[in-house]
Amino acid sequence: MRAMAHLVIYHSVRPLGACLAAALHLERLQGPCPPAGELADTLARLAGTPDWRTLFRPFSGLRPAGRDGAGRLVCLVAPGASTRVTDRALAGLATLAGVPRDRYWLAAVPEAPWALAALAGAGSRAAALLCARLAWPAAAAAADATLAALVASAPAPVAGADLQQTREMEWPVEQR
Amino acid sequence: MIVLYHCYSANHTSLTAANIHLGRLPLDRRPTYHEVLAQPGFDTHHRRLIGTPLPMGIDDHGHRVYCWGLEAGQQRLLAAALQLAEAAGGSTADLLPVGALAAANWWMRVGGFLSRRCNQVALGRPLVAVGTWLAYPALAQCARRTCGRLP
């Protein structure tokens, strides 16, 4: 039932793993992890800025990454909490809000060791490259598993929820 | 409305606020140490429940009250959860998330860590109960303010 989702969410503790998985899902990245020289460029491209440290800093909310070939909206979540907690919290609140479980797909991406990611976040380029090298296979596995599950089921419906509302991600939660 | 008191692990801070909201603990006086310990669910939730909204009951006005552990980065995760619910076509208008962690003190943090994370219940539970007793006025204020915001 879950495979009919038209909203796919990759989540990890820090953004790197989710970004990699989403880029692989959306076919912006392909194949195995590139060599070190190219990997630095890849990280900068993923971050969307020369400061790749943003890939190691948790962010607030849901960040859209794009639409895949079947029209599913692919989003990223990296709140800094563990993936198990994130998974339960997202699913739990969605249930309370009356969202059927088949509307969305949650895919957790394990991240590189905590200490290494912290070093990368502090600015160590070598640690960042090592993190990316370690995170790549896990992200590829998450993207492959998600795509396989989604493709194996019925084509994704696009009717129903207005997904355009995720375009602007400025939600002042404190004011709620 | 659905009221979601959230904190780190849903064992002490949000749980006590929820119990005050539901009238299981007094709003007008500080409870005894033993009343704090005897409240339902206090310092008993397992780590694997962190993240799941835990139903605590229904208040006098029919509002459903939950406590919710969100670990680190609560505001970031809360924002993501609300946006996911909206993006997937759900309604968040009836949800009222209330942060309770601001009321926590170091007694609660150290005691909670010892009891829940390190499994040293005999050592941690008395500390966290004392911390909850000390933080009670702030928790009561949180519950009172929340009740005031409800229709």
Side-chain angles (χ1 to χ4, degrees):
Chain A
M1 287 300 287
R2 289 180 65 190
M4 287 175 65
H6 53 226
L7 182 61
V8 180
I9 292 160
Y10 288 101
H11 63 91
S12 53
V13 180
R14 292 178 176 79
L16 175 70
C19 280
L20 277 173
L24 288 161
H25 180 121
L26 295 168
E27 297 179 354
R28 291 174 187 160
L29 292 177
Q30 281 175 335
C33 185
E38 287 175 40
L39 191 54
D41 292 339
T42 305
L43 284 187
R45 218 161 3 116
L46 273 180
T49 156
D51 183 10
W52 42 261
R53 282 178 300 178
T54 54
L55 289 172
F56 297 93
R57 291 180 189 141
F59 59 80
S60 181
L62 200 65
R63 192 172 286 178
R67 281 187 187 277
D68 67 9
R72 301 179 195 96
L73 184 65
V74 178
C75 294
L76 315 173
V77 171
S82 74
T83 49
R84 285 180 188 169
V85 169
T86 302
D87 208 80
R88 289 191 287 256
L90 296 179
L93 194 84
T95 304
L96 289 180
V99 179
R101 196 65 183 85
D102 60 0
R103 286 267 184 93
Y104 58 94
W105 180 275
L106 296 175
V109 185
E111 75 161 5
W114 176 86
L116 199 59
L119 269 178
S124 165
R125 183 186 158 91
L129 293 178
L130 188 52
C131 269
R133 192 162 294 286
L134 291 171
W136 196 289
D144 286 348
T146 300
L147 279 167
L150 292 169
V151 168
S153 68
V158 287
D162 178 16
L163 300 178
Q164 296 303 316
Q165 61 189 293
T166 58
R167 204 182 297 143
E168 297 299 329
M169 285 296 142
E170 300 300 324
W171 265 33
V173 171
E174 291 76 14
Q175 291 174 16
R176 291 182 64 85
Chain B
M1 293 284 281
I2 296 174
V3 183
L4 292 146
Y5 288 99
H6 59 87
C7 65
Y8 190 90
S9 71
N11 267 299
H12 314 110
T13 320
S14 62
L15 181 120
T16 304
N19 280 326
I20 297 170
H21 182 127
L22 290 166
R24 291 172 185 154
L25 287 171
L27 199 57
D28 53 348
R29 66 170 175 88
R30 198 182 286 216
T32 63
Y33 170 83
H34 293 289
E35 281 177 308
V36 168
L37 274 177
Q39 60 177 306
F42 186 75
D43 196 45
T44 54
H45 295 149
H46 193 273
R47 256 187 78 71
R48 64 171 171 265
L49 289 175
I50 299 180
T52 306
L54 303 171
M56 294 295 294
I58 298 174
D59 71 8
D60 296 339
H61 302 283
H63 305 298
R64 287 154 64 194
V65 179
Y66 289 75
C67 62
W68 197 19
L70 289 177
E71 228 181 41
Q74 284 179 64
Q75 290 303 322
R76 293 188 290 258
L77 186 48
L78 177 60
L82 289 168
Q83 287 175 10
L84 163 63
E86 288 271 341
S91 165
T92 57
D94 283 345
L95 302 178
L96 179 63
V98 180
L101 195 59
N105 52 36
W106 281 104
W107 292 81
M108 296 178 79
R109 290 174 205 269
V110 173
F113 177 78
L114 288 172
S115 174
R116 297 294 93 207
R117 180 66 73 97
C118 305
N119 213 22
Q120 300 298 316
V121 179
L123 191 60
R125 190 167 291 172
L127 286 179
V128 78
V130 169
T132 306
W133 184 84
L134 290 170
Y136 198 82
L139 292 166
Q141 179 66 22
C142 173
R144 193 180 295 120
R145 212 180 299 129
T146 305
C147 291
R149 287 169 66 187
L150 293 169

PDB file of all heavy atoms in Angstrom, chain B residues 16 19 24-26 29-42 125-126 128-134 136:
ATOM      1  N   THR B  16       4.695  15.261  32.409  1.00  0.00           N
ATOM      2  CA  THR B  16       4.148  15.948  33.589  1.00  0.00           C
ATOM      3  C   THR B  16       3.213  17.078  33.158  1.00  0.00           C
ATOM      4  O   THR B  16       2.128  17.250  33.738  1.00  0.00           O
ATOM      5  CB  THR B  16       5.303  16.497  34.456  1.00  0.00           C
ATOM      6  OG1 THR B  16       6.166  15.414  34.792  1.00  0.00           O
ATOM      7  CG2 THR B  16       4.782  17.146  35.719  1.00  0.00           C
ATOM      8  N   ASN B  19       0.002  15.540  32.168  1.00  0.00           N
ATOM      9  CA  ASN B  19      -0.770  15.082  33.328  1.00  0.00           C
ATOM     10  C   ASN B  19      -1.383  16.253  34.099  1.00  0.00           C
ATOM     11  O   ASN B  19      -2.478  16.131  34.638  1.00  0.00           O
ATOM     12  CB  ASN B  19       0.107  14.219  34.240  1.00  0.00           C
ATOM     13  CG  ASN B  19       0.224  12.794  33.714  1.00  0.00           C
ATOM     14  OD1 ASN B  19      -0.716  12.261  33.125  1.00  0.00           O
ATOM     15  ND2 ASN B  19       1.369  12.183  33.907  1.00  0.00           N
ATOM     16  N   ARG B  24      -4.565  15.290  36.394  1.00  0.00           N
ATOM     17  CA  ARG B  24      -4.070  14.182  37.225  1.00  0.00           C
ATOM     18  C   ARG B  24      -3.086  14.684  38.275  1.00  0.00           C
ATOM     19  O   ARG B  24      -2.753  13.969  39.208  1.00  0.00           O
ATOM     20  CB  ARG B  24      -3.382  13.145  36.349  1.00  0.00           C
ATOM     21  CG  ARG B  24      -4.352  12.416  35.455  1.00  0.00           C
ATOM     22  CD  ARG B  24      -3.616  11.541  34.462  1.00  0.00           C
ATOM     23  NE  ARG B  24      -4.546  10.931  33.541  1.00  0.00           N
ATOM     24  CZ  ARG B  24      -4.227  10.537  32.315  1.00  0.00           C
ATOM     25  NH1 ARG B  24      -2.978  10.702  31.867  1.00  0.00           N
ATOM     26  NH2 ARG B  24      -5.130   9.996  31.534  1.00  0.00           N
ATOM     27  N   LEU B  25      -2.579  15.878  38.063  1.00  0.00           N
ATOM     28  CA  LEU B  25      -1.713  16.534  39.042  1.00  0.00           C
ATOM     29  C   LEU B  25      -2.303  17.920  39.312  1.00  0.00           C
ATOM     30  O   LEU B  25      -2.917  18.511  38.413  1.00  0.00           O
ATOM     31  CB  LEU B  25      -0.284  16.663  38.497  1.00  0.00           C
ATOM     32  CG  LEU B  25       0.544  15.370  38.439  1.00  0.00           C
ATOM     33  CD1 LEU B  25       1.837  15.593  37.675  1.00  0.00           C
ATOM     34  CD2 LEU B  25       0.836  14.838  39.826  1.00  0.00           C
ATOM     35  N   PRO B  26      -2.121  18.438  40.522  1.00  0.00           N
ATOM     36  CA  PRO B  26      -2.785  19.707  40.863  1.00  0.00           C
ATOM     37  C   PRO B  26      -2.183  20.896  40.115  1.00  0.00           C
ATOM     38  O   PRO B  26      -0.986  20.923  39.820  1.00  0.00           O
ATOM     39  CB  PRO B  26      -2.536  19.835  42.356  1.00  0.00           C
ATOM     40  CG  PRO B  26      -1.318  19.021  42.604  1.00  0.00           C
ATOM     41  CD  PRO B  26      -1.348  17.892  41.635  1.00  0.00           C
ATOM     42  N   ARG B  29      -1.184  23.873  43.384  1.00  0.00           N
ATOM     43  CA  ARG B  29      -0.164  23.653  44.417  1.00  0.00           C
ATOM     44  C   ARG B  29       0.901  22.713  43.868  1.00  0.00           C
ATOM     45  O   ARG B  29       0.680  22.013  42.882  1.00  0.00           O
ATOM     46  CB  ARG B  29      -0.778  23.058  45.679  1.00  0.00           C
ATOM     47  CG  ARG B  29      -1.330  21.658  45.473  1.00  0.00           C
ATOM     48  CD  ARG B  29      -1.737  20.950  46.764  1.00  0.00           C
ATOM     49  NE  ARG B  29      -2.359  19.668  46.461  1.00  0.00           N
ATOM     50  CZ  ARG B  29      -1.688  18.532  46.321  1.00  0.00           C
ATOM     51  NH1 ARG B  29      -0.382  18.501  46.449  1.00  0.00           N
ATOM     52  NH2 ARG B  29      -2.326  17.402  46.039  1.00  0.00           N
ATOM     53  N   ARG B  30       2.050  22.693  44.537  1.00  0.00           N
ATOM     54  CA  ARG B  30       3.109  21.780  44.127  1.00  0.00           C
ATOM     55  C   ARG B  30       2.814  20.394  44.716  1.00  0.00           C
ATOM     56  O   ARG B  30       2.529  20.279  45.908  1.00  0.00           O
ATOM     57  CB  ARG B  30       4.439  22.309  44.647  1.00  0.00           C
ATOM     58  CG  ARG B  30       5.646  21.713  43.958  1.00  0.00           C
ATOM     59  CD  ARG B  30       6.910  22.251  44.566  1.00  0.00           C
ATOM     60  NE  ARG B  30       7.156  23.624  44.175  1.00  0.00           N
ATOM     61  CZ  ARG B  30       8.360  24.108  43.944  1.00  0.00           C
ATOM     62  NH1 ARG B  30       9.422  23.346  44.020  1.00  0.00           N
ATOM     63  NH2 ARG B  30       8.517  25.372  43.628  1.00  0.00           N
ATOM     64  N   PRO B  31       2.855  19.332  43.901  1.00  0.00           N
ATOM     65  CA  PRO B  31       2.549  18.003  44.447  1.00  0.00           C
ATOM     66  C   PRO B  31       3.712  17.513  45.318  1.00  0.00           C
ATOM     67  O   PRO B  31       4.796  18.089  45.286  1.00  0.00           O
ATOM     68  CB  PRO B  31       2.421  17.135  43.200  1.00  0.00           C
ATOM     69  CG  PRO B  31       3.283  17.806  42.196  1.00  0.00           C
ATOM     70  CD  PRO B  31       3.243  19.261  42.494  1.00  0.00           C
ATOM     71  N   THR B  32       3.474  16.455  46.037  1.00  0.00           N
ATOM     72  CA  THR B  32       4.558  15.876  46.835  1.00  0.00           C
ATOM     73  C   THR B  32       5.486  15.090  45.906  1.00  0.00           C
ATOM     74  O   THR B  32       5.131  14.762  44.772  1.00  0.00           O
ATOM     75  CB  THR B  32       3.999  14.914  47.899  1.00  0.00           C
ATOM     76  OG1 THR B  32       3.358  13.833  47.206  1.00  0.00           O
ATOM     77  CG2 THR B  32       2.999  15.610  48.800  1.00  0.00           C
ATOM     78  N   TYR B  33       6.648  14.785  46.436  1.00  0.00           N
ATOM     79  CA  TYR B  33       7.615  13.965  45.689  1.00  0.00           C
ATOM     80  C   TYR B  33       6.969  12.654  45.249  1.00  0.00           C
ATOM     81  O   TYR B  33       7.144  12.206  44.116  1.00  0.00           O
ATOM     82  CB  TYR B  33       8.815  13.727  46.615  1.00  0.00           C
ATOM     83  CG  TYR B  33       9.814  12.725  46.133  1.00  0.00           C
ATOM     84  CD1 TYR B  33      10.817  13.083  45.231  1.00  0.00           C
ATOM     85  CD2 TYR B  33       9.777  11.400  46.594  1.00  0.00           C
ATOM     86  CE1 TYR B  33      11.749  12.151  44.808  1.00  0.00           C
ATOM     87  CE2 TYR B  33      10.708  10.472  46.170  1.00  0.00           C
ATOM     88  CZ  TYR B  33      11.693  10.848  45.279  1.00  0.00           C
ATOM     89  OH  TYR B  33      12.596   9.920  44.852  1.00  0.00           O
ATOM     90  N   HIS B  34       6.185  12.050  46.131  1.00  0.00           N
ATOM     91  CA  HIS B  34       5.570  10.757  45.812  1.00  0.00           C
ATOM     92  C   HIS B  34       4.461  10.900  44.762  1.00  0.00           C
ATOM     93  O   HIS B  34       4.257   9.999  43.953  1.00  0.00           O
ATOM     94  CB  HIS B  34       5.044  10.097  47.090  1.00  0.00           C
ATOM     95  CG  HIS B  34       6.155   9.700  48.008  1.00  0.00           C
ATOM     96  ND1 HIS B  34       7.016   8.669  47.741  1.00  0.00           N
ATOM     97  CD2 HIS B  34       6.592  10.251  49.166  1.00  0.00           C
ATOM     98  CE1 HIS B  34       7.914   8.564  48.694  1.00  0.00           C
ATOM     99  NE2 HIS B  34       7.675   9.526  49.581  1.00  0.00           N
ATOM    100  N   GLU B  35       3.770  12.029  44.787  1.00  0.00           N
ATOM    101  CA  GLU B  35       2.754  12.259  43.734  1.00  0.00           C
ATOM    102  C   GLU B  35       3.425  12.398  42.368  1.00  0.00           C
ATOM    103  O   GLU B  35       2.898  11.934  41.359  1.00  0.00           O
ATOM    104  CB  GLU B  35       1.952  13.526  44.054  1.00  0.00           C
ATOM    105  CG  GLU B  35       0.868  13.329  45.107  1.00  0.00           C
ATOM    106  CD  GLU B  35       0.153  14.631  45.430  1.00  0.00           C
ATOM    107  OE1 GLU B  35       0.830  15.637  45.734  1.00  0.00           O
ATOM    108  OE2 GLU B  35      -1.088  14.635  45.374  1.00  0.00           O
ATOM    109  N   VAL B  36       4.581  13.048  42.347  1.00  0.00           N
ATOM    110  CA  VAL B  36       5.324  13.177  41.084  1.00  0.00           C
ATOM    111  C   VAL B  36       5.700  11.796  40.561  1.00  0.00           C
ATOM    112  O   VAL B  36       5.503  11.473  39.385  1.00  0.00           O
ATOM    113  CB  VAL B  36       6.594  14.047  41.275  1.00  0.00           C
ATOM    114  CG1 VAL B  36       7.508  13.954  40.062  1.00  0.00           C
ATOM    115  CG2 VAL B  36       6.226  15.491  41.537  1.00  0.00           C
ATOM    116  N   LEU B  37       6.227  10.971  41.452  1.00  0.00           N
ATOM    117  CA  LEU B  37       6.650   9.620  41.048  1.00  0.00           C
ATOM    118  C   LEU B  37       5.473   8.742  40.626  1.00  0.00           C
ATOM    119  O   LEU B  37       5.620   7.870  39.776  1.00  0.00           O
ATOM    120  CB  LEU B  37       7.372   8.934  42.209  1.00  0.00           C
ATOM    121  CG  LEU B  37       8.860   9.207  42.355  1.00  0.00           C
ATOM    122  CD1 LEU B  37       9.386   8.508  43.598  1.00  0.00           C
ATOM    123  CD2 LEU B  37       9.633   8.733  41.142  1.00  0.00           C
ATOM    124  N   ALA B  38       4.304   8.984  41.223  1.00  0.00           N
ATOM    125  CA  ALA B  38       3.155   8.104  40.997  1.00  0.00           C
ATOM    126  C   ALA B  38       2.355   8.471  39.748  1.00  0.00           C
ATOM    127  O   ALA B  38       1.446   7.744  39.370  1.00  0.00           O
ATOM    128  CB  ALA B  38       2.237   8.147  42.209  1.00  0.00           C
ATOM    129  N   GLN B  39       2.704   9.578  39.081  1.00  0.00           N
ATOM    130  CA  GLN B  39       1.895   9.961  37.916  1.00  0.00           C
ATOM    131  C   GLN B  39       2.063   8.912  36.798  1.00  0.00           C
ATOM    132  O   GLN B  39       3.136   8.312  36.643  1.00  0.00           O
ATOM    133  CB  GLN B  39       2.280  11.354  37.418  1.00  0.00           C
ATOM    134  CG  GLN B  39       3.714  11.491  36.992  1.00  0.00           C
ATOM    135  CD  GLN B  39       4.012  12.867  36.449  1.00  0.00           C
ATOM    136  OE1 GLN B  39       3.333  13.337  35.549  1.00  0.00           O
ATOM    137  NE2 GLN B  39       5.021  13.509  36.990  1.00  0.00           N
ATOM    138  N   PRO B  40       1.010   8.673  36.010  1.00  0.00           N
ATOM    139  CA  PRO B  40       1.052   7.607  35.008  1.00  0.00           C
ATOM    140  C   PRO B  40       2.150   7.845  33.967  1.00  0.00           C
ATOM    141  O   PRO B  40       2.254   8.923  33.390  1.00  0.00           O
ATOM    142  CB  PRO B  40      -0.325   7.693  34.332  1.00  0.00           C
ATOM    143  CG  PRO B  40      -1.165   8.508  35.239  1.00  0.00           C
ATOM    144  CD  PRO B  40      -0.271   9.361  36.053  1.00  0.00           C
ATOM    145  N   GLY B  41       2.966   6.852  33.766  1.00  0.00           N
ATOM    146  CA  GLY B  41       3.977   6.894  32.719  1.00  0.00           C
ATOM    147  C   GLY B  41       5.285   7.552  33.095  1.00  0.00           C
ATOM    148  O   GLY B  41       6.216   7.574  32.284  1.00  0.00           O
ATOM    149  N   PHE B  42       5.393   8.062  34.299  1.00  0.00           N
ATOM    150  CA  PHE B  42       6.581   8.835  34.665  1.00  0.00           C
ATOM    151  C   PHE B  42       7.840   7.967  34.651  1.00  0.00           C
ATOM    152  O   PHE B  42       7.932   6.971  35.355  1.00  0.00           O
ATOM    153  CB  PHE B  42       6.395   9.472  36.043  1.00  0.00           C
ATOM    154  CG  PHE B  42       7.513  10.393  36.445  1.00  0.00           C
ATOM    155  CD1 PHE B  42       7.613  11.663  35.877  1.00  0.00           C
ATOM    156  CD2 PHE B  42       8.465  10.009  37.356  1.00  0.00           C
ATOM    157  CE1 PHE B  42       8.637  12.513  36.232  1.00  0.00           C
ATOM    158  CE2 PHE B  42       9.499  10.859  37.721  1.00  0.00           C
ATOM    159  CZ  PHE B  42       9.585  12.109  37.150  1.00  0.00           C
ATOM    160  N   ARG B 125      16.057   7.956  38.793  1.00  0.00           N
ATOM    161  CA  ARG B 125      14.651   8.306  39.030  1.00  0.00           C
ATOM    162  C   ARG B 125      14.449   9.275  40.190  1.00  0.00           C
ATOM    163  O   ARG B 125      13.694  10.245  40.045  1.00  0.00           O
ATOM    164  CB  ARG B 125      13.807   7.032  39.202  1.00  0.00           C
ATOM    165  CG  ARG B 125      12.316   7.317  39.197  1.00  0.00           C
ATOM    166  CD  ARG B 125      11.487   6.066  39.045  1.00  0.00           C
ATOM    167  NE  ARG B 125      11.613   5.490  37.720  1.00  0.00           N
ATOM    168  CZ  ARG B 125      11.108   4.309  37.356  1.00  0.00           C
ATOM    169  NH1 ARG B 125      10.461   3.573  38.225  1.00  0.00           N
ATOM    170  NH2 ARG B 125      11.256   3.858  36.116  1.00  0.00           N
ATOM    171  N   PRO B 126      15.109   9.072  41.336  1.00  0.00           N
ATOM    172  CA  PRO B 126      14.953  10.069  42.415  1.00  0.00           C
ATOM    173  C   PRO B 126      15.422  11.461  41.983  1.00  0.00           C
ATOM    174  O   PRO B 126      14.786  12.458  42.327  1.00  0.00           O
ATOM    175  CB  PRO B 126      15.833   9.513  43.537  1.00  0.00           C
ATOM    176  CG  PRO B 126      15.937   8.059  43.259  1.00  0.00           C
ATOM    177  CD  PRO B 126      15.918   7.923  41.782  1.00  0.00           C
ATOM    178  N   VAL B 128      15.463  12.747  38.918  1.00  0.00           N
ATOM    179  CA  VAL B 128      14.538  13.348  37.966  1.00  0.00           C
ATOM    180  C   VAL B 128      13.221  13.719  38.660  1.00  0.00           C
ATOM    181  O   VAL B 128      12.571  14.713  38.291  1.00  0.00           O
ATOM    182  CB  VAL B 128      14.344  12.434  36.726  1.00  0.00           C
ATOM    183  CG1 VAL B 128      13.410  11.290  36.994  1.00  0.00           C
ATOM    184  CG2 VAL B 128      13.882  13.226  35.534  1.00  0.00           C
ATOM    185  N   ALA B 129      12.852  12.953  39.689  1.00  0.00           N
ATOM    186  CA  ALA B 129      11.624  13.292  40.427  1.00  0.00           C
ATOM    187  C   ALA B 129      11.812  14.596  41.215  1.00  0.00           C
ATOM    188  O   ALA B 129      10.911  15.449  41.236  1.00  0.00           O
ATOM    189  CB  ALA B 129      11.243  12.149  41.368  1.00  0.00           C
ATOM    190  N   VAL B 130      12.982  14.749  41.825  1.00  0.00           N
ATOM    191  CA  VAL B 130      13.270  16.000  42.530  1.00  0.00           C
ATOM    192  C   VAL B 130      13.292  17.161  41.532  1.00  0.00           C
ATOM    193  O   VAL B 130      12.735  18.244  41.792  1.00  0.00           O
ATOM    194  CB  VAL B 130      14.622  15.904  43.289  1.00  0.00           C
ATOM    195  CG1 VAL B 130      15.062  17.268  43.785  1.00  0.00           C
ATOM    196  CG2 VAL B 130      14.502  14.935  44.447  1.00  0.00           C
ATOM    197  N   GLY B 131      13.929  16.925  40.385  1.00  0.00           N
ATOM    198  CA  GLY B 131      13.977  17.962  39.347  1.00  0.00           C
ATOM    199  C   GLY B 131      12.588  18.354  38.876  1.00  0.00           C
ATOM    200  O   GLY B 131      12.292  19.535  38.679  1.00  0.00           O
ATOM    201  N   THR B 132      11.722  17.372  38.709  1.00  0.00           N
ATOM    202  CA  THR B 132      10.347  17.648  38.280  1.00  0.00           C
ATOM    203  C   THR B 132       9.600  18.436  39.361  1.00  0.00           C
ATOM    204  O   THR B 132       8.844  19.362  39.059  1.00  0.00           O
ATOM    205  CB  THR B 132       9.605  16.322  37.981  1.00  0.00           C
ATOM    206  OG1 THR B 132      10.376  15.587  37.044  1.00  0.00           O
ATOM    207  CG2 THR B 132       8.226  16.575  37.417  1.00  0.00           C
ATOM    208  N   TRP B 133       9.866  18.056  40.623  1.00  0.00           N
ATOM    209  CA  TRP B 133       9.229  18.771  41.730  1.00  0.00           C
ATOM    210  C   TRP B 133       9.685  20.240  41.727  1.00  0.00           C
ATOM    211  O   TRP B 133       8.878  21.152  41.898  1.00  0.00           O
ATOM    212  CB  TRP B 133       9.599  18.083  43.055  1.00  0.00           C
ATOM    213  CG  TRP B 133       8.937  18.652  44.250  1.00  0.00           C
ATOM    214  CD1 TRP B 133       7.695  18.352  44.720  1.00  0.00           C
ATOM    215  CD2 TRP B 133       9.463  19.636  45.132  1.00  0.00           C
ATOM    216  NE1 TRP B 133       7.413  19.082  45.834  1.00  0.00           N
ATOM    217  CE2 TRP B 133       8.485  19.886  46.114  1.00  0.00           C
ATOM    218  CE3 TRP B 133      10.672  20.341  45.195  1.00  0.00           C
ATOM    219  CZ2 TRP B 133       8.675  20.804  47.139  1.00  0.00           C
ATOM    220  CZ3 TRP B 133      10.862  21.243  46.217  1.00  0.00           C
ATOM    221  CH2 TRP B 133       9.869  21.472  47.181  1.00  0.00           C
ATOM    222  N   LEU B 134      10.979  20.449  41.481  1.00  0.00           N
ATOM    223  CA  LEU B 134      11.502  21.827  41.452  1.00  0.00           C
ATOM    224  C   LEU B 134      10.954  22.608  40.247  1.00  0.00           C
ATOM    225  O   LEU B 134      10.693  23.800  40.335  1.00  0.00           O
ATOM    226  CB  LEU B 134      13.041  21.803  41.386  1.00  0.00           C
ATOM    227  CG  LEU B 134      13.760  21.325  42.653  1.00  0.00           C
ATOM    228  CD1 LEU B 134      15.244  21.120  42.376  1.00  0.00           C
ATOM    229  CD2 LEU B 134      13.566  22.337  43.777  1.00  0.00           C
ATOM    230  N   TYR B 136       8.137  22.187  38.838  1.00  0.00           N
ATOM    231  CA  TYR B 136       6.680  22.074  38.754  1.00  0.00           C
ATOM    232  C   TYR B 136       5.958  23.394  38.459  1.00  0.00           C
ATOM    233  O   TYR B 136       5.050  23.421  37.615  1.00  0.00           O
ATOM    234  CB  TYR B 136       6.113  21.445  40.027  1.00  0.00           C
ATOM    235  CG  TYR B 136       4.718  20.926  39.828  1.00  0.00           C
ATOM    236  CD1 TYR B 136       4.490  19.687  39.249  1.00  0.00           C
ATOM    237  CD2 TYR B 136       3.611  21.691  40.192  1.00  0.00           C
ATOM    238  CE1 TYR B 136       3.210  19.227  39.033  1.00  0.00           C
ATOM    239  CE2 TYR B 136       2.326  21.227  39.982  1.00  0.00           C
ATOM    240  CZ  TYR B 136       2.132  19.995  39.405  1.00  0.00           C
ATOM    241  OH  TYR B 136       0.870  19.543  39.181  1.00  0.00           O
TER     242      TYR B 136
END
